[in-house]
Amino acid sequence: MRILIAGGGVLGTMHAWSAVERGHEVVQLEREAEARGASVRNFGLVWVGGRAAGAELATAVRARRLWERIGERVPDLGFRANGSLTLVRTEAELAVAKEAAASPDAARGFKLLDAAEARELNPALRGDFLGALWCDRDAAVEPRTAQPALRAALTATGRYTWRPGREVRALTSNGVVDDHGERHEGDVVLFCTGAWLGGLVREVAGELPVRRVRLQMAQTEPLGEPLTTSVADADSFRYYPAYRGPALDGLGTGQPQGEVAAGHAMQLLMVQRLDGSLTIGDTHEYAQPFGFDVTEDPYDHLAEVAGALLGRPLPRIRRRWAGVYAQATDVGAIVHRERLADNAFLVTGPGGRGMTCSPAIAEDTAVELDL
């Protein structure tokens, strides 16, 4: 079977991987010269611990296994099973960590550590904190190089073609037409266009149950030593469903976020890149139209919190950016998957779980479409 994929981000590329693995021929089209959306503007986190119990957690656990297997075959993906530490600095934050660690759901791999145990696991953390919630299931990849590395491995199979600079403008009964007027024939068309929901997608699908979310992030100079785990602050408890419960309710009432963090719906996540630099973030903005610029106050807040956990100033920020991802409005949906025509399907809206869950989402698409 010949499968056409519109979209060069991680979701489209993982659909290409899944299809090629099943013996199909794939042509992947991307309107830019290279993926430039949320797939490269993220932490590269394979984030299992914070996922909602049920389908979301099961999908994340399965995706984590798939990432590891793919990483063994594609070393340039930069996969590493580094785990994560969510550091707590107050008794109210510690109560949330204790409640999460006591959960009977072993799939998350949670363990409560005191400050000495956390520093033993990650010696770069020399700031003041009471302890940490350790998740041994979490992992990381390199977001800026993941898609090129995966495409190189796909190309080597002889069943994959990459066509950048090609925006799909028309859907036909046996394929698509791009903005150069070139026809691409295929048995199935998969639209994995991320937050780009205008143009042909809007013409064919109309209004979708998907919202767009904007975030701000940054990358620093090298830290100068290994940050052996991914790191989060306790504000992340407020934004991930795994931590909901009485202790989190108490944190919300007894220790509300500060003005900047609350105003920008912030948490600190910090991941070290292979070159030693740190990716830090992030904010969440939901009301459109989004601004065209980035705001400085969130970066000051991130630098202050990260510096307090590291016990020294954060290295100089060398890159700042904003990104936009698509999120299904149905909170129970892992992704929005919709038939557009007899031969065409849209897969979008994984939200902030896109990098984590994309291999499993692609696998589910293949099963649902009987590819």
Side-chain angles (χ1 to χ4, degrees):
M1 189 178 291
R2 182 178 172 89
I3 297 174
L4 308 179
I5 297 175
V10 67
L11 195 58
T13 304
M14 280 300 175
H15 277 80
W17 182 276
S18 181
V20 169
E21 285 288 280
R22 286 164 168 76
H24 302 302
E25 181 185 354
V26 172
V27 177
Q28 186 176 15
L29 300 100
E30 162 59 38
R31 66 191 183 96
E32 301 281 358
E34 182 56 83
R36 294 174 57 84
S39 295
V40 296
R41 306 184 193 205
N42 67 72
F43 297 96
L45 280 170
V46 182
W47 195 251
V48 175
R51 303 303 169 194
E56 182 177 350
L57 179 58
T59 302
V61 169
R62 180 161 48 94
R64 163 65 171 77
R65 290 196 297 266
L66 290 168
W67 273 117
E68 185 163 16
R69 291 175 197 164
I70 297 168
E72 291 171 354
R73 295 169 55 184
V74 187
D76 288 345
L77 195 60
F79 177 88
R80 60 263 193 201
N82 60 338
S84 73
L85 289 170
T86 301
L87 303 179
V88 297
R89 296 190 286 173
T90 69
E91 291 296 333
E93 294 171 356
L94 181 61
V96 181
K98 287 180 177 179
E99 190 171 272
S103 167
D105 197 339
R108 301 183 195 281
F110 281 157
K111 183 180 180 181
L112 187 67
L113 306 180
D114 62 27
E117 290 171 324
R119 292 190 182 99
E120 183 177 359
L121 196 60
N122 193 336
L125 299 171
R126 295 192 284 272
D128 292 326
F129 50 88
L130 299 180
L133 184 65
W134 163 243
C135 178
D136 66 5
R137 303 293 194 273
D138 291 339
V141 298
E142 291 299 290
R144 290 176 180 263
T145 58
Q147 273 73 249
L150 290 167
R151 291 199 309 265
L154 287 168
T155 300
T157 68
R159 297 193 305 276
Y160 171 81
T161 303
W162 166 243
R163 299 298 304 273
R166 301 277 172 160
E167 182 176 339
V168 175
R169 290 288 182 84
L171 176 63
T172 70
S173 61
N174 63 345
V176 299
V177 181
D178 67 26
D179 57 350
H180 294 254
E182 184 176 349
R183 293 180 174 271
H184 306 269
E185 295 186 355
D187 301 290
V188 175
V189 182
L190 299 177
F191 287 87
C192 302
T193 54
W196 181 257
L197 301 173
L200 180 63
V201 172
R202 185 179 301 280
E203 290 177 25
V204 178
E207 293 299 320
L208 293 164
V210 174
R211 68 174 178 175
R212 301 170 81 237
V213 181
R214 183 179 185 265
L215 50 81
Q216 288 185 200
M217 296 175 59
Q219 186 174 355
T220 72
E221 298 285 356
L223 180 62
E225 64 180 307
L227 188 74
T228 55
T229 71
S230 298
V231 175
D233 77 338
D235 273 343
S236 65
F237 290 149
R238 306 174 193 266
Y239 296 104
Y240 288 98
Y243 309 113
R244 292 172 186 157
L248 183 61
D249 293 340
L251 178 67
T253 56
Q255 186 185 312
Q257 282 188 294
E259 182 179 356
V260 172
H264 295 275
M266 294 187 67
Q267 61 183 338
L268 170 71
L269 296 175
M270 184 163 53
V271 183
Q272 190 168 47
R273 304 270 63 92
L274 293 180
D275 68 357
S277 64
L278 303 176
T279 300
I280 63 168
D282 61 349
T283 65
H284 299 84
E285 182 181 352
Y286 305 101
Q288 295 191 66
F290 298 137
F292 62 86
D293 48 6
V294 294
T295 308
E296 198 62 26
D297 288 349
Y299 292 111
D300 293 339
H301 172 78
L302 291 170
E304 179 182 352
V305 175
L309 299 179
L310 291 168
R312 59 200 183 283
L314 186 73
R316 185 180 73 87
I317 292 176
R318 67 183 184 190
R319 294 190 181 104
R320 304 169 196 259
W321 66 87
V324 178
Y325 61 73
Q327 181 180 55
T329 54
D330 178 356
V331 296
I334 307 300
V335 71
H336 177 71
R337 193 179 284 108
E338 178 178 328
R339 180 186 288 271
L340 301 179
D342 288 343
N343 65 332
F345 301 83
L346 172 68
V347 186
T348 188
R353 63 177 83 87
M355 198 73 182
T356 295
C357 293
S358 55
I361 291 171
E363 191 174 70
D364 290 343
T365 299
V367 172
E368 184 173 324
L369 275 56
D370 193 24
L371 297 180

